[in-house]
Amino acid sequence: MTEFAQTREGIEVPTPPKFDSVDDERQHRKQRLAAALRLFSQCGFDEGVAGHITARDPEMTDHFWVNPFGMHFSMIKASDLILVNHDGEIVEGNRPVNRAAFVIHSQVHAARPDVVAAAHAHSVYGKALSSLRRGLDPLTQDACAFYDDHSVFDDFTGVVAELEEGRRIGVALGQNKAVVLANHGLLTVGHTVDSAAWWFITMERSSQAQLVAMAAGDPKPLDAATAKLTYDQVGLEYAGWFQFQPLYQRIVASQPDLLD
């Protein structure tokens, strides 16, 4: 459950929850993961069997929860998620895991112990931007969330199936919140499922805005100082977590079965 802190003016602002037990934290992550997957479906980020979001288990930190391979995002409940270890073995659940999900996410989680969740999908504008092998420019307030905080993995060798490829993606990601995978799409990470999912949603929309602006004319990026100032306002971890909350409220209100 979301907690609240009071400002000096007596206004309550939401804060990420704290948990009494690891079981409560695990269930929270699984429910947020199911909600994120349903939101990805609503956003049109589902394409066949492609795409995956993972959440590190709070107790077995070298394990992660992930959507079952071949199950539509719009149907996934918390109880459908499968637990996979970093050897690719299914520890909990009776459905298969996407090989690419294991290869990419296991290496990202291993490279970034601070990361709780990672999101990747074959979204239209992310794919288009990735074909240019370039990142986001600071053209808008929203795009500034990624200013100097994303990278480009400038390679493509087919469907990611080998651990070494996943390791190289982890290296390309570095300490950033996102990476553009050349000729493939976007990948985002966060310290919560909430922020990882939000960064993906807003990165996809910022990709769309940049491509539209480039098609329309000669877009003018913000100067470095303004872009950095705006990043500090919209690009920090709490901002990512907070932006996800209204989306979570909406999807749970309309599809409460996802919590099961």
Side-chain angles (χ1 to χ4, degrees):
M1 178 177 289
T2 301
E3 298 184 355
F4 291 87
Q6 278 201 344
T7 66
R8 285 182 297 179
E9 295 79 13
I11 298 172
E12 290 189 337
V13 294
T15 59
K18 297 179 175 61
F19 302 94
D20 295 328
S21 72
V22 71
D23 290 335
D24 289 345
E25 187 170 8
R26 178 180 294 115
Q27 186 63 12
H28 175 84
R29 291 185 185 183
K30 291 174 67 177
Q31 290 177 338
R32 297 287 162 142
L33 181 50
L37 289 159
R38 298 239 185 153
L39 285 165
F40 271 32
S41 178
Q42 285 194 346
C43 290
F45 300 161
D46 43 5
E47 182 160 335
V49 298
H52 18 84
I53 309 176
T54 54
R56 190 189 300 272
D57 187 81
E59 181 179 18
M60 298 173 286
T61 56
D62 61 346
H63 293 51
F64 56 84
W65 296 91
V66 64
N67 48 297
F69 189 38
M71 187 173 188
H72 198 272
F73 288 177
S74 68
M75 301 172 63
I76 293 175
K77 303 176 182 178
S79 57
D80 293 318
L81 299 169
I82 57 177
L83 182 64
V84 180
N85 66 22
H86 278 219
D87 293 322
E89 299 166 337
I90 297 173
V91 176
E92 186 172 325
N94 58 3
R95 295 174 181 270
V97 63
N98 186 333
R99 171 70 181 174
F102 158 66
V103 167
I104 295 173
H105 290 254
S106 67
Q107 299 307 296
V108 167
H109 282 285
R112 291 284 300 277
D114 60 308
V115 161
V116 165
H120 168 66
H122 292 184
S123 53
V124 172
Y125 297 100
K127 288 191 294 185
L129 184 72
S130 76
S131 73
L132 302 176
R133 301 198 175 194
R134 61 175 294 169
L136 289 174
D137 298 328
L139 300 181
T140 66
Q141 173 179 304
D142 297 322
C144 286
F146 300 93
Y147 180 71
D148 203 24
D149 198 12
H150 72 294
S151 53
V152 177
F153 179 62
D154 192 13
D155 193 13
F156 181 77
T157 58
V159 176
V160 180
E162 301 299 330
L163 284 175
E164 175 58 22
E165 186 81 350
R167 187 196 68 78
R168 293 199 302 127
I169 290 172
V171 170
L173 172 67
Q175 294 304 305
N176 299 313
K177 66 158 64 83
V179 58
V180 178
L181 307 176
N183 305 95
H184 190 172
L186 311 176
L187 183 142
T188 59
V189 299
H191 296 169
T192 61
V193 174
D194 311 53
S195 61
W198 170 252
W199 296 137
F200 190 97
I201 291 168
T202 191
M203 192 176 193
E204 167 69 5
R205 290 175 173 171
S206 292
S207 299
Q208 179 181 5
Q210 178 165 319
L211 292 165
V212 170
M214 291 168 62
D218 182 22
K220 304 299 188 288
L222 297 168
D223 63 84
T226 303
K228 178 60 169 65
L229 171 65
T230 309
Y231 170 86
D232 290 339
Q233 296 167 330
V234 303
L236 301 183
E237 179 66 23
Y238 174 77
W241 176 86
F242 184 60
Q243 292 265 32
F244 184 78
Q245 303 316 301
L247 303 183
Y248 181 78
Q249 294 160 16
R250 185 190 70 185
I251 197 72
V252 170
S254 62
Q255 302 179 31
D257 65 301
L258 71 85
L259 300 175
D260 296 344

